[in-house]
Amino acid sequence: MKICIIGTGYVGLVSGTCFADLGNEVICVDRDNNKIENLKKGKVPIFEPGLEELIKKNSKNKTLKFSTNINKSIKDSKIIFICVGTPTNIKTKNVNLRYVYQVTQSIKKNINNYKIIVNKSTVPLTTGDKIERILNSKKNKNKFEVVSNPEFLREGEAIRDFCYPDRVIVGTNSKKANKILRSLYLPLIKKDSRYINTSRRSAEMIKYASNAFLATKISYINELANLCEKTSVDVKEVSLGMGLDQRIGERFLRAGAAYGGSCFPKDTKALIYTADKFKINLSIVKNVIKFNEKRKKLPINKIHKILGKNLKNKIITFLGVTFKAGTDDMRESSSNIIIPYLSKKNAQIRYYEPTGYKNNFKKLKNVKFFDKIKDACNLSDLIIIHTDWNEFKQLNFKKLVNKKNIKVFDMRNLYSITKMKNNNIKYFGIGR
Ligand code: UGA
């Protein structure tokens, strides 16, 4: 099938590449010339395991192409995926749909035969209706269908999530569009996953409802972690015991600092905005947002508890600074709050991060990037395991730190309390 993907950000690039890998003819379009030229050379702008190899393979096979020519790419394709960013509008706090509507205008001009316009960007309820209204004209009558097909890709696991989806949601009332999209997804839905055809609005709602639910699940265990800590209970044991009940499920029950990333914080707020507009009070999600905001300060309080009030010249080492493992994404990462705070307190901050140096801390004093864990940890007063990268899961702190009084604050609860105690390491987790 001939597919045009508009927007070569995270979602567009992963989806386009995977569709090409399934044997479709895919053209990925972006207005950023530089990005497209780099992609043509196989240079990928984001860190996502497996993506670069897959882009190279399919570019070589000529199933995957890159272009800045949006008009021609739309005309030449049958299915058009809208995959542009929907950032939060800083003033209104609502989702900024400018890019979605700009792309819609381009599509409107280039509908030359029957096309399915699939929106994959995360957009508020009823956006599909508005896209349809924009596209409607005498010339375009009966020549298009607007479908909502939300993505459920986790950063760092996106290729796997695309190839082995738990579900594929296709929101359309059109039998014809549904049939075509079903056949597009057929190679994936054979693998035990479920293809669900819903109304367009339901599909839009499912995306936000899923992210808000996962954010709620995390916040629930995070709030319980506070109680566990006060009562000498290990939240990890509680998660395990709860999660084995299949009605609850073990995933997204890991307690930690506030949840981050570009999706949960943004999507929970967008859902509230929509609900308020329809005069519905989503009180649970509102509390989740409030709780998570408050929780952002938790690591700072812990660091003071461990090192005392005065942090001047204390050597503090961060292992990982991204919002989670498997990504180079710094959006809504707790390190963006903790590191500037420590820098103001005149601590000596070091960080080791598998995805390299981060511009976020460029202007801060006393913040240094190290490309070896050992150098970052040597003689450190406190090691903070900030991100759950696999390479942090079996460290020999005694060898790394080279001093007697070793202190570790594990924001991801990766280590056994007993083993740490036996090794004479002062170990602090979350909710344990
Ligand atoms: C999330 C969803 O998981 C995807 O299904 C969705 O498609 C995506 O948002 C999106 O809307 O595009 P992502 O933001 O990549 O994916 O990251 P997650 O793996 O969901 O993690 C989000 C945050 O929750 C991270 O800060 C992570 O550390 C935290 N988390 C996750 C926990 O604190 N505990 C857990 O048990 C799981």
Side-chain angles (χ1 to χ4, degrees), residues 319-338:
L319 296 181
V321 287
T322 53
F323 85 94
K324 66 168 189 175
T327 178
D328 59 352
D329 198 340
M330 289 294 290
R331 284 175 290 178
E332 299 263 352
S333 173
S334 356
S335 64
N336 288 318
I337 292 176
I338 316 171

Side-chain angles (χ1 to χ4, degrees), residues 150-415:
E151 53 83 19
F152 302 103
L153 310 174
R154 285 166 300 165
E155 290 186 23
E157 314 268 353
I159 307 271
R160 193 181 324 147
D161 282 348
F162 190 95
C163 296
Y164 302 96
D166 288 338
R167 78 292 207 194
V168 172
I169 306 288
V170 171
T172 176
N173 291 331
S174 153
K175 281 196 179 137
K176 184 174 174 184
N178 184 42
K179 201 172 159 201
I180 294 170
L181 286 172
R182 197 172 216 290
S183 70
L184 174 68
Y185 277 109
L186 197 65
L188 305 178
I189 54 182
K190 271 185 191 157
K191 294 174 192 159
D192 253 4
S193 59
R194 297 220 236 151
Y195 179 96
I196 318 273
N197 176 211
T198 65
S199 75
R200 191 168 58 208
R201 286 190 182 185
S202 293
E204 288 172 345
M205 181 73 102
I206 287 167
K207 168 70 190 191
Y208 280 111
S210 301
N211 274 0
F213 183 80
L214 291 171
T216 306
K217 197 172 174 188
I218 298 168
S219 296
Y220 178 79
I221 199 71
N222 280 345
E223 196 163 34
L224 275 184
N226 293 345
L227 180 61
C228 290
E229 214 166 296
K230 280 265 156 69
T231 49
S232 297
V233 171
D234 187 343
V235 74
K236 274 188 99 170
E237 291 181 353
V238 177
S239 294
L240 183 69
M242 279 174 69
L244 287 173
D245 180 333
Q246 295 211 352
R247 292 169 304 173
I248 298 173
E250 62 197 325
R251 294 163 77 192
F252 283 72
L253 269 188
R254 273 179 288 118
Y259 59 73
S262 69
C263 303
F264 290 174
K266 175 167 91 78
D267 294 352
T268 42
K269 283 176 201 143
L271 183 61
I272 292 299
Y273 190 93
T274 304
D276 283 348
K277 213 169 87 184
F278 288 93
K279 297 200 167 33
I280 294 296
N281 181 20
L282 291 186
S283 62
I284 296 175
V285 184
K286 275 184 185 163
N287 275 318
V288 165
I289 296 170
K290 254 195 230 157
F291 173 75
N292 200 58
E293 276 306 313
K294 248 182 154 180
R295 196 165 182 83
K296 287 180 180 169
K297 294 220 177 86
L298 176 133
I300 289 174
N301 296 340
K302 281 241 169 183
I303 293 167
H304 276 300
K305 246 188 180 169
I306 300 166
L307 291 177
K309 215 173 166 197
N310 185 2
L311 300 177
K312 193 169 179 195
N313 289 329
K314 295 273 186 209
I315 304 175
I316 302 179
T317 301
F318 280 76
L319 296 181
V321 287
T322 53
F323 85 94
K324 66 168 189 175
T327 178
D328 59 352
D329 198 340
M330 289 294 290
R331 284 175 290 178
E332 299 263 352
S333 173
S334 356
S335 64
N336 288 318
I337 292 176
I338 316 171
I339 293 184
Y341 174 86
L342 296 177
S343 164
K344 259 196 195 149
K345 292 280 165 193
N346 295 314
Q348 302 284 329
I349 303 122
R350 302 168 176 178
Y351 71 95
Y352 165 79
E353 164 55 47
T355 59
Y357 174 82
K358 298 291 167 219
N359 277 325
N360 303 53
F361 312 123
K362 200 164 80 180
K363 290 190 181 142
L364 301 179
K365 63 174 181 188
N366 302 335
V367 183
K368 226 174 147 187
F369 167 71
F370 286 75
D371 60 4
K372 289 193 181 66
I373 300 184
K374 196 169 182 345
D375 297 340
C377 292
N378 191 35
L379 299 177
S380 194
D381 293 305
L382 177 65
I383 310 284
I384 300 180
I385 305 175
H386 176 275
T387 312
D388 47 350
W389 287 96
N390 279 338
E391 59 188 285
F392 303 151
K393 288 181 179 165
Q394 294 213 36
L395 296 174
N396 183 337
F397 291 103
K398 279 193 164 164
K399 273 196 181 157
L400 290 173
V401 183
N402 262 325
K403 65 188 251 187
K404 267 194 179 151
N405 190 3
I406 302 175
K407 291 178 184 150
V408 175
F409 171 27
D410 180 359
M411 286 174 58
R412 302 288 177 164
N413 288 341
L414 300 180
Y415 285 83

